[in-house]
Amino acid sequence: MAKLGKRTAAIREAFAGKEDLSVEDAVALVKGNATAKFDETVEIALNLGVDPRHADQMVRGVVSLPNGTGKDVRVAVFARGAKADEAKEAGADIVGAEDLMETVQGGTIDFDRCIATPDMMPIVGRLGKVLGPRNLMPNPKVGTVTMDVAQAVQAAKGGEVQFKAEKAGVVHAGVGKASFDEAKLIENVRAFVDAVQKAKPSGAKGPYMKKVSISSTMGPGVSINVDSATGN
């Protein structure tokens, strides 16, 4: 068995036996042990009592974190003419139509968020098999198929986070950086959990939010008391 490094051993010891913590204690633990040489992302995972294979149990939505994500989000916009100009002025990193489609089809996906005007969807639809698995497909339900491309670009750049339940009913996202103040991380965690709570689908039966946990990029996870996370 490989010998653990001092840093890894110290982190494991700090987390040993700790679970079902309050949001405040969990954030303090994760932030205090995020000691990598880069600014680690604080990530949240929610295990939900849903089966996303059923349409009435799909969990999907978007939330604007009050303190942003701390991440530089690259935004691509499918638009033409005046709307393309509007997207560029709003700060979009990549703007195009058929040319952008061909770039993506060629395997180059140099963006974190994809927005499209409604008239572009016949083109974007051809990219479903590429963008869909990466959760990048524009969708009117989360505001990424819209004529107001400027607002959508600004929201994406300003800390808006999309979420979608995976096959096992797990929703996960980055909710800030380890360098954030604890109070800001706590606020972001609660805002994200609240958004997922509000997105509870009509077909969900039994306990909806089964487990909440947070971790840093390089650190172990710790579970949060669900009532503490939901403010109950």
Side-chain angles (χ1 to χ4, degrees):
M1 182 180 289
K3 186 177 180 180
L4 293 176
K6 288 183 179 180
R7 175 183 173 276
T8 303
I11 291 174
R12 287 194 180 184
E13 184 177 348
F15 278 75
K18 293 181 179 176
E19 57 183 30
D20 202 35
L21 302 181
S22 67
V23 174
E24 292 80 2
D25 288 346
V27 165
L29 181 64
V30 168
K31 175 178 166 63
N33 287 277
T35 56
K37 293 180 180 179
F38 62 94
D39 193 4
E40 297 182 52
T41 296
V42 175
E43 300 167 354
I44 189 168
L46 290 77
N47 295 64
L48 306 176
V50 298
D51 184 348
R53 292 175 298 180
H54 300 286
D56 65 347
Q57 293 187 48
M58 170 52 70
V59 177
R60 184 174 200 152
V62 62
V63 56
S64 291
L65 297 180
N67 302 296
T69 63
K71 179 182 178 182
D72 181 19
V73 178
R74 288 184 58 80
V75 178
V77 177
F78 282 88
R80 287 195 181 98
K83 288 298 172 182
D85 294 337
E86 192 178 307
K88 291 174 184 175
E89 289 173 11
D93 299 277
I94 306 166
V95 180
E98 286 85 359
D99 55 335
L100 180 52
M101 178 192 72
E102 291 171 3
T103 298
V104 173
Q105 285 178 329
T108 300
I109 303 176
D110 188 23
F111 51 86
D112 309 296
R113 182 72 61 88
C114 186
I115 295 163
T117 53
D119 59 299
M120 288 285 100
M121 288 310 293
I123 291 173
V124 181
R126 302 179 202 174
L127 303 172
K129 290 183 179 180
V130 181
L131 299 179
R134 294 172 172 81
N135 200 26
L136 289 172
M137 193 68 182
N139 189 309
K141 292 183 179 179
V142 293
T144 48
V145 177
T146 177
M147 288 300 288
D148 193 352
V149 291
Q151 194 280 330
V153 169
Q154 290 162 1
K157 293 278 190 179
E160 187 178 78
V161 175
Q162 295 180 13
F163 58 85
K164 180 181 178 182
E166 298 177 347
K167 289 182 180 179
V170 177
V171 169
H172 61 84
V175 290
K177 293 290 187 177
S179 60
F180 281 21
D181 292 342
E182 284 184 24
K184 290 184 177 180
L185 285 171
I186 291 166
E187 197 174 8
N188 278 1
V189 167
R190 288 213 161 103
F192 186 84
V193 172
D194 183 58
V196 176
Q197 184 78 38
K198 289 177 178 175
K200 181 179 179 179
S202 59
K205 307 297 182 185
Y208 173 56
M209 202 162 291
K210 299 167 72 174
K211 183 180 179 182
V212 180
S213 59
I214 62 170
S215 64
S216 64
T217 306
M218 303 298 290
V222 60
S223 61
I224 295 175
N225 179 276
V226 173
D227 287 342
S228 175
T230 56
N232 293 336

